[in-house]
Amino acid sequence: MGEENKDIPLASNPSTASPVTPVPAATPAPAVAQAAPKPVVTAAPVKPLASPARRQFMISWLSLAWVVFAAATVSALSTVLRFLFPNVLFEPKTSFKVGKPDQYEVGKVDTRWEDKFGVWVIRSPEGIYALSTVCTHLGCKPSWLDGEQKFKCPCHGSGFYKTGINFEGPAPRPLERFSISLADDGQILIDKSKKFQFEKGEWMNPLSLLAV
Ligand code: FES
């Protein structure tokens, strides 16, 4: 038994070991107050300056926008003006004088007024009548062919006698006559607002022939 005690270290023998001063347990270090996290301030994004090309592009678009705006304004204004001042239609006179009867030769077709008034004035032994220069087919203007003594339409070939009666081509009816009378001053007065059609028997109307 004595042998066994020799091998035991003194320190580990409670009876022989000097009393060990207990080392106080380390007190936990007070927690270091952590600073509140500061909000991260990020700088506002800096807008890049427009390059000259970009600036030019913007100016072009701005100019275009102004042009479009100005055009729209002008258009709107013109519409308003047209509404306020509607078009006045100046129609050619329907009533006009063509001189005195003695200025017309019997048997002749007078073409002086065909362009200005759209009539031929013809003096026959019975009197003077005014024929319309509008073809009764589709409205072209025939020409007087003195050599052939007929009106000939250039569009589809209709032909009319001096009296206005159709005799060839597709024209379905004679030329129309206009009202003709003597004015107070002795001149021939033609009124295109009054028409007379042969096929309706209207050439019998005294206003379709000026008996002189
Ligand atoms: Fe004159 Fe057709 S318009 S013949």
Side-chain angles (χ1 to χ4, degrees):
M1 287 292 278
E3 288 294 315
E4 287 176 2
N5 286 340
K6 275 187 209 175
D7 295 337
I8 299 171
L10 291 176
S12 58
N13 189 341
S15 60
T16 61
S18 60
V20 177
T21 309
V23 178
T27 55
V32 177
Q34 290 189 345
K38 290 183 179 176
V40 178
V41 177
T42 53
V46 178
K47 289 184 180 174
L49 289 175
S51 66
R54 184 178 168 78
R55 217 175 303 138
Q56 186 64 39
F57 176 76
M58 290 171 68
I59 290 172
S60 302
W61 273 105
L62 212 56
S63 306
L64 182 64
W66 270 111
V67 169
V68 170
F69 174 74
T73 305
V74 169
S75 171
L77 274 178
S78 71
T79 303
V80 171
L81 287 177
R82 282 176 68 100
F83 178 75
L84 291 177
F85 305 101
N87 282 346
V88 178
L89 189 60
F90 294 101
E91 292 193 333
K93 286 167 57 176
T94 57
S95 184
F96 46 88
K97 295 175 180 174
V98 293
K100 297 197 172 175
D102 57 11
Q103 295 173 357
Y104 294 88
E105 196 178 328
V106 175
K108 286 279 186 184
V109 173
D110 196 312
T111 59
R112 275 181 292 168
W113 314 106
E114 65 179 2
D115 290 332
K116 189 172 181 182
F117 297 126
V119 296
W120 293 299
V121 179
I122 299 137
R123 182 162 190 172
S124 70
E126 295 77 33
I128 300 174
Y129 53 93
L131 272 185
S132 166
T133 60
V134 177
C135 178
T136 51
H137 178 221
L138 292 177
C140 290
K141 178 177 168 290
S143 300
W144 170 247
L145 305 179
D146 202 53
E148 300 177 41
Q149 289 290 293
K150 69 177 182 183
F151 296 101
K152 187 70 175 173
C153 184
C155 293
H156 311 97
S158 290
F160 305 86
Y161 292 125
K162 192 187 295 181
T163 56
I165 300 288
N166 55 309
F167 68 94
E168 64 179 353
R173 58 191 180 86
L175 298 173
E176 295 176 348
R177 293 185 181 186
F178 297 122
S179 170
I180 188 167
S181 58
L182 268 187
D184 292 342
D185 59 0
Q187 290 198 65
I188 299 170
L189 178 67
I190 295 175
D191 185 359
K192 288 181 70 176
S193 66
K194 297 178 190 144
K195 292 179 183 175
F196 302 103
Q197 295 182 6
F198 172 81
E199 66 276 15
K200 293 181 179 175
E202 295 173 343
W203 285 9
M204 302 300 291
N205 190 309
L207 280 177
S208 70
L209 180 73
L210 177 62
V212 287

Short mmCIF file of all heavy atoms in Angstrom, two decimals, residues 97-101 103-104 113 182 186-189:
data_model
loop_
_atom_site.label_atom_id
_atom_site.label_comp_id
_atom_site.label_asym_id
_atom_site.label_seq_id
_atom_site.Cartn_x
_atom_site.Cartn_y
_atom_site.Cartn_z
N LYS A 97 -77.16 89.68 -122.83
CA LYS A 97 -77.58 90.22 -124.13
C LYS A 97 -76.51 89.92 -125.18
O LYS A 97 -75.31 89.92 -124.87
CB LYS A 97 -77.79 91.72 -124.01
CG LYS A 97 -78.95 92.09 -123.08
CD LYS A 97 -79.04 93.59 -122.89
CE LYS A 97 -80.20 93.95 -121.96
NZ LYS A 97 -80.23 95.40 -121.65
N VAL A 98 -76.97 89.68 -126.39
CA VAL A 98 -76.02 89.30 -127.45
C VAL A 98 -76.18 90.18 -128.71
O VAL A 98 -75.93 89.73 -129.83
CB VAL A 98 -76.19 87.80 -127.82
CG1 VAL A 98 -75.77 86.91 -126.67
CG2 VAL A 98 -77.63 87.51 -128.23
N GLY A 99 -76.57 91.40 -128.49
CA GLY A 99 -76.67 92.30 -129.64
C GLY A 99 -78.06 92.30 -130.27
O GLY A 99 -79.00 91.67 -129.77
N LYS A 100 -78.17 93.07 -131.36
CA LYS A 100 -79.47 93.24 -132.00
C LYS A 100 -79.67 92.21 -133.11
O LYS A 100 -78.71 91.70 -133.69
CB LYS A 100 -79.58 94.66 -132.54
CG LYS A 100 -79.51 95.67 -131.39
CD LYS A 100 -80.00 97.02 -131.79
CE LYS A 100 -80.09 97.92 -130.55
NZ LYS A 100 -80.46 99.28 -130.84
N PRO A 101 -80.95 91.92 -133.44
CA PRO A 101 -81.24 90.87 -134.43
C PRO A 101 -80.59 91.11 -135.78
O PRO A 101 -80.18 90.15 -136.46
CB PRO A 101 -82.77 90.92 -134.53
CG PRO A 101 -83.21 91.43 -133.21
CD PRO A 101 -82.17 92.41 -132.79
N GLN A 103 -77.83 91.98 -136.46
CA GLN A 103 -76.42 91.57 -136.49
C GLN A 103 -76.27 90.08 -136.83
O GLN A 103 -75.15 89.58 -136.90
CB GLN A 103 -75.78 91.84 -135.12
CG GLN A 103 -75.71 93.33 -134.76
CD GLN A 103 -75.23 93.56 -133.32
OE1 GLN A 103 -74.98 92.62 -132.57
NE2 GLN A 103 -75.11 94.81 -132.94
N TYR A 104 -77.42 89.42 -137.04
CA TYR A 104 -77.37 87.98 -137.32
C TYR A 104 -77.91 87.72 -138.71
O TYR A 104 -79.01 88.18 -139.07
CB TYR A 104 -78.15 87.20 -136.25
CG TYR A 104 -77.49 87.30 -134.88
CD1 TYR A 104 -77.81 88.35 -134.02
CD2 TYR A 104 -76.54 86.38 -134.49
CE1 TYR A 104 -77.20 88.48 -132.80
CE2 TYR A 104 -75.91 86.50 -133.25
CZ TYR A 104 -76.24 87.55 -132.41
OH TYR A 104 -75.62 87.67 -131.21
N TRP A 113 -70.48 83.34 -129.16
CA TRP A 113 -70.78 83.26 -127.72
C TRP A 113 -70.60 81.85 -127.13
O TRP A 113 -70.94 81.60 -125.99
CB TRP A 113 -72.24 83.71 -127.47
CG TRP A 113 -72.59 84.97 -128.19
CD1 TRP A 113 -73.37 85.10 -129.29
CD2 TRP A 113 -72.12 86.29 -127.88
NE1 TRP A 113 -73.44 86.40 -129.70
CE2 TRP A 113 -72.68 87.17 -128.85
CE3 TRP A 113 -71.29 86.83 -126.91
CZ2 TRP A 113 -72.44 88.52 -128.84
CZ3 TRP A 113 -71.05 88.19 -126.91
CH2 TRP A 113 -71.62 89.01 -127.87
N LEU A 182 -86.63 89.78 -126.74
CA LEU A 182 -86.05 91.09 -127.01
C LEU A 182 -86.07 91.92 -125.73
O LEU A 182 -87.12 92.05 -125.07
CB LEU A 182 -86.85 91.83 -128.09
CG LEU A 182 -86.40 91.66 -129.55
CD1 LEU A 182 -87.20 92.61 -130.45
CD2 LEU A 182 -84.91 91.93 -129.72
N GLY A 186 -83.82 96.73 -127.27
CA GLY A 186 -83.83 96.17 -128.62
C GLY A 186 -82.81 95.06 -128.83
O GLY A 186 -82.70 94.50 -129.93
N GLN A 187 -82.07 94.75 -127.78
CA GLN A 187 -81.08 93.67 -127.93
C GLN A 187 -81.72 92.31 -127.65
O GLN A 187 -82.74 92.20 -126.94
CB GLN A 187 -79.92 93.88 -126.95
CG GLN A 187 -79.02 95.06 -127.30
CD GLN A 187 -77.67 94.95 -126.59
OE1 GLN A 187 -76.91 94.04 -126.85
NE2 GLN A 187 -77.42 95.87 -125.68
N ILE A 188 -81.08 91.30 -128.17
CA ILE A 188 -81.54 89.92 -127.92
C ILE A 188 -81.13 89.54 -126.50
O ILE A 188 -79.95 89.69 -126.12
CB ILE A 188 -80.92 88.95 -128.93
CG1 ILE A 188 -81.34 89.32 -130.35
CG2 ILE A 188 -81.28 87.51 -128.61
CD1 ILE A 188 -80.58 88.56 -131.44
N LEU A 189 -82.10 89.07 -125.74
CA LEU A 189 -81.83 88.67 -124.36
C LEU A 189 -81.99 87.15 -124.26
O LEU A 189 -83.04 86.59 -124.58
CB LEU A 189 -82.82 89.36 -123.41
CG LEU A 189 -82.70 89.00 -121.94
CD1 LEU A 189 -81.38 89.50 -121.36
CD2 LEU A 189 -83.89 89.58 -121.14
#
